[in-house]
Amino acid sequence: MTPRQSIRCLIVVILTWALTALAGRPSAAQTAVPIHPTEDAPATLPELPFHLTARPWQPLDISAEAYLDALEGACTVVAQHQDERGAIIDPYLDREHQYSTPYFAIAVGALLDADRGEALHEPGIRAMEHATARFAEGSEGIPDAHGEFFIAALTEALHLYEDEVDAATYDRWHERLETPLGTIMRDFTGRINNWRTYAMKGEWMRAQAGLVDRQEAYEIIEREWNEKTQRTRILTDKWNLYQDWSSDPQSHAVEAVGRGNLIGLIAHGYDGPSAEEIDVAIRRGTRTSLLLQAPDGQAPTNGRTDNHVFNDVLYQLAFEVFAEQALAEGDTYLAGQYRRAALMAFDSIQRWVRDDEPWAGSFYLTKNRFEPGDRVGYQPASQWGNYTGAVIMHLAEAYLARQSDIEEQPTPTEIGGYAFSTDARFSTFFANAGGMQIQANLRGASVPKYGISWTPLGVVRFVRADWDGRLGPSDGEHDRDAGEALSFSRGAGETADAYRAGSGVTFGPTWREHDRWVRIADLHTHYRATPEVHFVHPLLVRFSLTYSYVTGRGGPYFRQDFVVTPDGVLSRLVSPQDDPFALTVPILEDDGRALDVSIGDHIASTRYAPGEDQQNFIGLNADARMLDEAPSIQSSYGWLKPVRYESADRAKEVFVYPRSPDDPSAADVRESFQIDGDDFSSILGRVEGTMYVGRTSAGGEGDRIDLDGDGSADVSFSASCRFVLQLRDGVVTAVESDRAVTMELDGESYQLSAHTPVDLTP
């Protein structure tokens, strides 16, 4: 066995030991999480027992080598910006920034450990030499006083380089990494948000490596957890998501950072007094994140630093860790869901790999293709060096965490069948039927962070499985600089303030006030949305959002009903008042590359090029008009064109249709569309009460279903149940029910057990 293989074996042993230790602890399903003081917190996540998908499903089959390919490509670019000292110099700041150098060092170490990246051998060693020297200098010597971020990265990297350097060099690095935490982090009174979790994870890893006293590490971690707000941030959340308390609403992006570090703490075998409490919380929070992940692999949007590429890599890492954990505990199905989710996250970031020299192989920082120097979607901390470092560091961790071959299973976000709200501090609503997901913001960011309103009010995401979610759109926008505050009289001496049209854009109501159109995303301070769920099934979800003002400003009320199916989403917007109103339809028109946009009276569409995926907003009212009159707004994904959908009808009806190249055209779908009260039909499928029938799946709640629309049941059950049928050319190929029943199909009887799919393929 070579020295490198010995190190690899050691890592496997550590992870296996940690996972085995975790296996002995109660799972989230077995133990109720102590949640205080949130009295209305549900005991469990939405029940998701179904297995069958609405659309044909196949594994991604992305190998661990693909992780290394991406890692090596990015590290090769980063190495071009290393100076003679070994420091990584940010090409836009022209200096070493934050944790760029240690993150490069561990990423290269992972490559060398896998017998990859030989050309990076010397750059990696120089990075370790420089980073450990800065570390030993303490807070004042560490770039931007970011010592917390150095600890875990350098500790893990130390082992990866043991057979790459001579004993004297290794011993020198080892001694430097013994620098006391009080020297590395001199500001113990501040920075107690997710930054503190870096120190918790890092100190435990140093204790395991014999770099610091184990008992002192216990004391530090327990103090941070119990006294320095870390426990409160995750245990009081409705679903045990990590609250960073750095933006309002909370950030889904930064949530993954804090929870991710706590995952790392437990995965590396932390066994202190609070270990079980932390373990239960991160299990439940990560199970929740399976529902938040978009069907195209993206992490949820919202909050500061959202829509950065490293957001998806953080999800990838968490899912890899829990895939191995579930496997160690014998839950191969859950392990397969986590592995699949990790691969989806990894696959999603491939869209943001640069192909322009000399950057080819590295990643854009935010999810667009604008020149990084334009800083579209950036926060002040978003710099090339540190956030490229975050991508490669966490990619390296994901590779090191991935130890086993695990058979992929469909994820909850690909199966669907849920509709729920996050904690009020996040104020986000998610609904998913058959892999068609909606994300809505129930309130906007009334308190800007860094002068930016990260979270706009309204529906911000439509994403379908096996489809390019960027077109969704994948987010909305509220631009504080584009909106000019106005005051005007509402009568009786009252005044109200609004923002000029142009400051915000989401999928939601817009109305006229004093000869100007105001959009719901403009009024983040004054309005809120309240969700109401009416029916939930893996193939059909019905819910509504009610928009109402919550201040003395006044204004109209709106109710927006949604019917979510695997094919798309029917939206119906109404208002109990007589004020003129319309619906805003956001169209992605340029993300650094101009898209192919078409806006007609009845249909507004966008796609990257002919023959590719396309998003369509189909106006169903007879007198429908799609009006392109307002200026576009630049979101973190690109320029969003706020198209105004008008009709004289009191109900504005739009079908959101994510189309793949082989699907029927939007024009044909509109021509075939029929609405009957709360039900509808088209060439895509039909919805009748609690039943859905589509081209590749059908199901609902009842004791029979008519698949061909001739008025006679084609499938019947011995008792009313919830069921899913998979179809191929109108033929039932698989079935799953939520209880034990007898199914009659084509003169044959089938005994079904609860949530046990039966393959009926001829």
Side-chain angles (χ1 to χ4, degrees):
M1 181 179 290
T2 66
R4 177 174 295 152
Q5 290 171 328
S6 298
I7 295 168
R8 182 74 173 182
C9 184
L10 175 62
I11 294 172
V12 174
V13 169
I14 292 173
L15 283 170
T16 302
W17 172 78
L19 296 176
T20 302
L22 288 171
R25 298 185 183 137
S27 69
Q30 298 168 322
T31 302
V33 180
I35 303 176
H36 306 287
T38 311
E39 296 178 356
D40 64 341
T44 62
L45 289 167
E47 293 294 330
L48 302 174
F50 279 88
H51 303 76
L52 296 181
T53 59
R55 293 177 174 273
W57 184 93
Q58 59 184 11
L60 289 169
D61 284 333
I62 297 174
S63 68
E65 285 294 313
Y67 290 12
L68 295 174
D69 291 341
L71 192 60
E72 187 169 1
C75 286
T76 299
V77 176
V78 175
Q80 298 171 15
H81 300 278
Q82 188 176 46
D83 68 9
E84 66 282 355
R85 301 171 301 161
I88 301 302
I89 304 301
D90 188 297
Y92 294 91
L93 297 176
D94 198 29
R95 68 175 180 85
E96 184 181 9
H97 181 244
Q98 293 184 1
Y99 41 84
S100 307
T101 305
Y103 278 20
F104 172 73
I106 184 177
V108 172
L111 286 168
L112 297 176
D113 177 63
D115 292 320
R116 294 281 298 266
E118 186 59 33
L120 297 167
H121 182 270
E122 290 307 314
I125 292 174
R126 291 201 306 271
M128 276 295 289
E129 176 65 27
H130 178 75
T132 55
R134 300 297 293 268
F135 187 83
E137 294 174 19
S139 181
E140 294 180 2
I142 295 171
D144 304 287
H146 270 56
E148 301 96 321
F149 297 78
F150 278 53
I151 307 170
L154 290 179
T155 301
E156 189 155 15
L158 182 65
H159 298 291
L160 298 174
Y161 283 93
E162 187 169 7
D163 66 333
E164 306 293 341
V165 297
D166 57 51
T169 300
Y170 181 84
D171 290 343
R172 181 170 66 252
W173 293 350
H174 191 285
E175 182 178 356
R176 290 171 176 174
L177 291 182
E178 295 174 352
T179 304
L181 183 63
T183 302
I184 301 163
M185 277 181 60
R186 288 183 176 153
D187 180 12
F188 275 95
T189 60
R191 306 199 307 209
I192 59 172
N193 61 338
N194 75 85
W195 287 33
R196 199 55 65 95
T197 63
Y198 284 95
M200 295 168 68
K201 172 186 172 184
E203 281 305 278
W204 177 246
M205 292 176 65
R206 287 210 293 174
Q208 284 186 310
L211 296 167
V212 297
D213 180 76
R214 195 180 188 91
Q215 186 58 40
E216 289 183 5
Y218 281 131
E219 293 172 0
I220 289 169
I221 293 165
E222 291 298 317
R223 182 176 66 246
E224 301 302 333
W225 177 252
N226 291 295
E227 301 175 19
K228 301 293 185 179
T229 78
Q230 295 306 314
R231 181 180 187 275
T232 304
R233 290 172 187 272
I234 192 168
L235 283 189
T236 61
D237 184 87
K238 182 177 181 180
W239 301 113
N240 294 133
L241 299 177
Y242 183 91
Q243 297 185 7
D244 196 61
W245 301 347
S246 58
S247 62
D248 184 51
Q250 294 291 309
S251 169
H252 279 298
V254 184
E255 185 279 324
V257 178
R259 177 168 51 85
N261 283 329
L262 294 175
I263 290 171
L265 175 68
I266 296 298
H268 281 88
Y270 181 66
D271 58 357
S274 298
E276 183 173 334
E277 189 172 52
I278 298 171
D279 178 33
V280 173
I282 60 174
R283 284 173 182 261
R284 192 165 184 262
T286 306
R287 286 291 286 267
T288 300
S289 67
L290 280 175
L291 280 64
L292 307 186
Q293 184 184 36
D296 70 339
Q298 296 187 81
T301 186
N302 275 17
R304 76 172 181 93
T305 330
D306 72 349
N307 300 331
H308 284 57
V309 173
F310 80 81
N311 301 162
D312 294 356
V313 183
L314 286 169
Y315 263 47
Q316 176 191 355
L317 171 58
F319 294 147
E320 283 291 7
V321 171
F322 274 91
E324 297 290 340
Q325 178 174 311
L327 184 66
E329 296 173 352
D331 192 339
T332 57
Y333 184 77
L334 180 59
Q337 287 191 308
Y338 275 129
R339 172 57 53 80
R340 170 73 172 192
L343 299 184
M344 288 168 58
F346 176 75
D347 194 45
S348 75
I349 70 171
Q350 303 313 305
R351 293 172 287 198
W352 309 115
V353 177
R354 300 183 66 171
D355 56 10
D356 53 322
E357 295 296 342
W359 309 98
S362 64
F363 291 83
Y364 289 94
L365 299 193
T366 52
K367 296 179 178 180
N368 58 65
R369 289 183 173 268
F370 296 110
E371 162 56 40
D374 294 338
R375 300 184 60 78
V376 176
Y378 287 34
Q379 68 168 353
S382 305
Q383 303 295 341
W384 186 88
N386 65 337
Y387 281 1
T388 296
V391 170
I392 60 178
M393 154 77 164
H394 297 308
L395 265 177
E397 288 186 310
Y399 168 75
L400 293 171
R402 181 174 174 174
Q403 299 293 322
S404 309
D405 290 331
I406 299 174
E407 183 179 357
E408 296 173 53
Q409 301 292 343
T411 65
T413 195
E414 295 176 292
I415 298 170
Y418 57 89
F420 73 107
S421 300
T422 59
D423 190 275
R425 295 291 292 268
F426 285 94
S427 289
T428 318
F429 179 83
F430 293 85
N432 187 310
M436 178 73 222
Q437 186 194 74
I438 296 179
Q439 180 181 340
N441 297 335
L442 304 180
R443 60 189 177 95
S446 58
V447 180
K449 182 72 175 182
Y450 306 124
I452 301 173
S453 294
W454 293 95
T455 304
L457 172 63
V459 177
V460 292
R461 179 172 283 183
F462 294 98
V463 181
R464 198 203 75 195
D466 196 25
W467 183 78
D468 193 340
R470 293 174 293 179
L471 303 171
S474 279
D475 198 2
E477 177 70 7
H478 174 245
D479 185 351
R480 294 180 67 250
D481 295 330
E484 178 183 344
L486 302 171
S487 293
F488 53 86
S489 173
R490 293 190 61 86
E494 295 182 359
T495 62
D497 62 337
Y499 285 84
R500 289 192 193 279
S503 64
V505 56
T506 55
F507 185 82
T510 178
W511 64 98
R512 291 187 65 82
E513 284 190 350
H514 292 260
D515 299 324
R516 52 177 62 90
W517 285 94
V518 177
R519 296 193 285 269
I520 196 68
D522 300 335
L523 300 177
H524 53 281
T525 301
H526 301 287
Y527 271 79
R528 299 287 185 270
T530 302
E532 185 178 357
V533 179
H534 309 293
F535 180 75
V536 177
H537 180 274
L539 303 178
L540 179 63
V541 171
R542 295 179 183 267
F543 74 94
S544 60
L545 297 175
T546 298
Y547 292 98
S548 59
Y549 61 85
V550 293
T551 66
R553 177 193 187 280
Y557 292 85
F558 299 94
R559 176 185 167 111
Q560 192 168 14
D561 295 318
F562 294 88
V563 183
V564 189
T565 73
D567 308 306
V569 180
L570 176 64
S571 162
R572 174 182 291 153
L573 180 66
V574 298
S575 174
Q577 289 132 308
D578 295 329
D579 297 337
F581 72 95
L583 175 68
T584 298
V585 173
I587 297 291
L588 181 65
E589 61 176 354
D590 192 312
D591 71 348
R593 299 164 300 171
L595 278 74
D596 178 19
V597 174
S598 173
I599 301 175
D601 282 344
H602 301 103
I603 301 172
S605 302
T606 186
R607 59 187 176 184
Y608 281 96
E612 297 185 1
D613 288 347
Q614 181 184 54
Q615 180 61 294
N616 302 275
F617 295 90
I618 304 173
L620 301 174
N621 300 89
D623 64 341
R625 292 191 305 162
M626 296 279 187
L627 300 177
D628 176 16
E629 297 178 350
S632 300
I633 301 175
Q634 191 177 57
S635 75
S636 54
Y637 276 89
W639 289 97
L640 292 175
K641 181 182 290 293
V643 176
R644 189 170 70 250
Y645 176 72
E646 292 187 359
S647 168
D649 295 339
R650 295 309 301 167
K652 323 299 183 190
E653 295 173 324
V654 170
F655 186 67
V656 183
Y657 174 38
R659 176 180 175 270
S660 296
D662 294 335
D663 289 335
S665 70
D668 288 345
V669 171
R670 185 181 191 277
E671 180 67 24
S672 67
F673 220 95
Q674 300 290 326
I675 297 180
D676 182 12
D678 293 331
D679 300 333
F680 62 89
S681 64
S682 75
I683 56 176
L684 300 174
R686 70 181 189 274
V687 172
E688 296 176 357
T690 61
M691 293 292 175
Y692 161 82
V693 178
R695 294 167 294 162
T696 59
S697 59
E701 183 173 10
D703 62 2
R704 66 195 63 209
I705 189 169
D706 175 10
L707 297 177
D708 56 15
D710 65 356
S712 300
D714 298 291
V715 183
S716 62
F717 301 89
S718 58
S720 181
C721 62
R722 294 194 173 207
F723 62 93
V724 172
L725 305 173
Q726 287 184 335
L727 309 175
R728 184 185 304 152
D729 298 326
V731 177
V732 179
T733 58
V735 60
E736 182 178 1
S737 63
D738 70 344
R739 64 199 66 186
V741 291
T742 301
M743 180 184 72
E744 300 291 336
L745 170 65
D746 296 333
E748 298 287 339
S749 296
Y750 300 87
Q751 299 299 319
L752 306 181
S753 299
H755 298 299
T756 305
V758 176
D759 186 357
L760 302 174
T761 304

